[in-house]
Structures are given as structure tokens and as C-alpha cells.
């Protein structure tokens, strides 16, 4: 598949078949991630492959997305924060994100489907689940596998000339909507809730998300 085609046709997949991962696929995905740009060419990624249902259940029980539990495979992306002093732009997140995009395009190009997931438990909990040292920060999680059905194409909301400016910002000022502040407040509350309450809430919220995107 050509790069341009992969970029335009790739979309988030949340429903997968029971087909097992073919030999060599995982290594191709990880290799693609390792060729992404990284700050100061540090190449300080680590990738944890997850196919253990008990681990997926732990992530979900601690507040992770319901789709993590239901996906056949996952990859947790980590980056070494000890190599950067850029607290303003947190370039370890940018480096990890660049790897994730490479991996998602590769997943699509290989005939699989994937989804970038940031709805995860508190990082302290993830460190305990995966025994992650303090220097490494979880960036995000990818779920992937063979799609249950072929996804529909998603049109772009804006044309190029609507999102492109030359030399300065020249769009009308926008106010941050009240609902965004409200959502942020809810998330802060959510992370301090007991685990048994999170397990009740998560399936309901994720069903709404899947209904919206599919």
C-alpha cells in the first residue's frame, strides 16, 4: 500500500475478529515505530506487547478503556524521560507519538486495524502492573488485530485552505467551551474513584464512544 493511500484510508478500529496474529507481523509494527523521529535522535522508546487477558483485565479494572479488555492485542508505548530537560514541550511525548503514528499506518498497511488509546489508568498504576521504572513514562496504548468488518472512509472536516495559514495565525479567536472544563473536572474526579465504581462506569461510557464512532 502506498503511503498516501494508507494515510487517507486508515481509521480507528475497535472491533476485531478472532484471527491470530500472523508470524512476523508484530516485529514489522515495532520496527516501523523505531524509525520515527525522536528528540535529539535519542530513539529511547520501549514497547510492551500485551496479549494476556489477565493483564488487560487489570488495566480495565484500574480505569482503562473497555476496548482494551476486548481487543486481542495491545502495545504500551513508553519513552525515557530522563534524557530530556524540555518540560515546556515534553518532547518525549512527541517522540512517542511519532512512533505510534508510524505503527498505526503499518498496522493498516498490513491489513490489520488499530486504535490509539489514551484512556488509561493513572501512570502510577500502570508502572505497578508492568513493573516500569521511574525513568520511563507511558505515552499511550495501541489496540490492534484483524478487523471484524471493513471500516467506512471518514471524510475530513476541513479543507486544506481552511487549516493553513502563512507566517501568522489569522483565524477568529475561539473560546474554550464550558463542556470542556466540565469534562476535565469529571476526569479528575474519575481518577480518584474506587476501582469497583470505575468497573461499573467504564462499559457504559465506552459503549457510547463506540456508538458515536462506528
Amino acid at each position: 500500500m502506498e503511503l498516501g493511500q494508507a494515510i487517507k484510508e486508515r481509521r480507528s478500529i475497535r472491533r476485531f475478529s478472532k484471527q491470530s496474529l500472523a508470524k512476523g507481523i508484530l516485529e514489522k509494527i515495532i520496527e516501523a515505530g523505531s524509525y520515527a523521529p525522536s528528540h535529539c535522535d535519542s530513539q529511547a522508546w520501549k514497547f510492551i506487547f500485551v496479549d494476556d487477558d489477565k493483564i488487560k483485565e487489570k488495566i480495565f479494572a484500574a480505569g482503562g478503556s473497555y476496548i482494551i479488555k476486548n481487543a486481542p492485542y495491545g502495545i504500551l508505548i513508553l519513552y525515557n524521560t530522563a534524557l530530556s530537560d524540555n518540560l515546556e514541550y515534553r518532547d518525549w511525548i512527541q517522540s512517542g507519538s511519532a512512533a505510534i503514528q508510524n505503527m498505526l499506518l503499518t498496522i493498516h498497511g498490513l491489513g490489520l486495524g488499530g486504535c490509539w488509546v489514551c484512556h488509561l489508568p493513572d501512570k502510577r498504576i500502570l508502572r505497578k502492573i508492568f513493573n516500569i521504572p521511574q525513568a520511563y513514562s507511558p505515552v499511550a496504548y495501541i489496540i490492534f488485530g484483524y478487523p471484524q468488518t471493513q471500516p467506512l472512509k471518514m471524510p475530513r472536516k476541513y479543507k486544506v485552505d481552511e487549516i493553513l495559514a502563512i507566517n501568522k495565525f489569522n483565524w477568529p479567536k475561539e473560546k474554550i467551551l464550558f463542556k470542556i472544563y466540565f469534562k476535565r473536572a469529571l476526569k479528575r474526579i474519575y481518577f480518584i474513584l474506587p476501582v469497583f465504581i470505575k468497573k461499573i462506569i467504564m462499559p457504559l461510557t465506552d459503549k457510547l464512544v463506540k456508538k458515536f464512532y462506528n
Side-chain angles (χ1 to χ4, degrees):
M1 183 179 291
E2 292 183 357
L3 177 60
Q5 181 185 356
I7 290 172
K8 291 179 180 178
E9 292 184 355
R10 187 218 64 82
R11 64 159 295 188
S12 296
I13 301 297
R14 298 172 178 82
R15 296 174 182 173
F16 305 94
S17 71
K18 295 181 180 180
Q19 184 178 346
S20 298
L21 202 61
K23 186 176 180 180
I25 291 289
L26 176 62
E27 289 75 14
K28 288 180 180 179
I29 295 169
I30 300 302
E31 183 181 36
S34 73
Y35 272 88
S38 60
H39 77 274
C40 300
D41 196 31
S42 53
Q43 301 181 30
W45 305 278
K46 298 293 182 192
F47 305 98
I48 300 178
F49 174 64
V50 179
D51 64 353
D52 188 323
D53 289 338
K54 291 181 180 179
I55 293 177
K56 288 184 280 185
E57 178 63 37
K58 284 182 181 179
I59 297 172
F60 165 66
S65 175
Y66 192 70
I67 58 177
I68 291 174
K69 178 182 176 181
N70 288 345
Y73 308 109
I75 299 173
L76 180 65
I77 295 86
L78 313 174
Y79 209 86
N80 190 343
T81 63
L83 302 178
S84 173
D85 58 0
N86 191 338
L87 298 179
E88 182 69 21
Y89 289 97
R90 300 185 181 188
D91 47 22
W92 60 87
I93 296 178
Q94 298 182 45
S95 301
S97 298
I100 292 168
Q101 179 70 346
N102 274 16
M103 294 162 76
L104 287 172
L105 289 172
T106 301
I107 287 169
H108 177 69
L110 291 170
L112 291 88
C115 183
W116 187 328
V117 183
C118 290
H119 197 152
L120 297 168
D122 187 286
K123 290 186 179 183
R124 290 173 297 177
I125 297 175
L126 279 182
R127 291 183 194 282
K128 289 180 181 179
I129 293 173
F130 292 99
N131 195 30
I132 302 168
Q134 194 63 35
Y136 284 89
S137 178
V139 176
Y141 188 97
I142 294 174
I143 59 170
F144 71 105
Y146 292 93
Q148 196 174 76
T149 57
Q150 289 302 313
L152 299 174
K153 292 183 179 180
M154 294 293 287
R156 296 299 89 191
K157 295 179 180 179
Y158 307 102
K159 296 178 181 178
V160 171
D161 59 2
E162 294 178 292
I163 57 175
L164 172 65
I166 307 299
N167 294 324
K168 67 176 182 179
F169 190 101
N170 60 3
W171 296 278
K173 291 183 179 179
E174 296 180 11
K175 293 181 180 179
I176 298 178
L177 300 176
F178 170 77
K179 68 178 181 180
I180 298 300
Y181 288 113
F182 182 67
K183 279 181 165 182
R184 290 174 180 175
L186 285 178
K187 283 194 173 182
R188 289 193 184 100
I189 294 170
Y190 172 80
F191 275 115
I192 63 173
L193 290 174
V195 169
F196 76 93
I197 295 179
K198 290 179 181 177
K199 290 181 75 171
I200 296 171
I201 293 173
M202 278 308 304
L204 300 176
T205 57
D206 277 318
K207 280 180 182 178
L208 290 174
V209 170
K210 285 192 285 186
K211 193 172 182 180
F212 178 78
Y213 284 106
N214 291 285

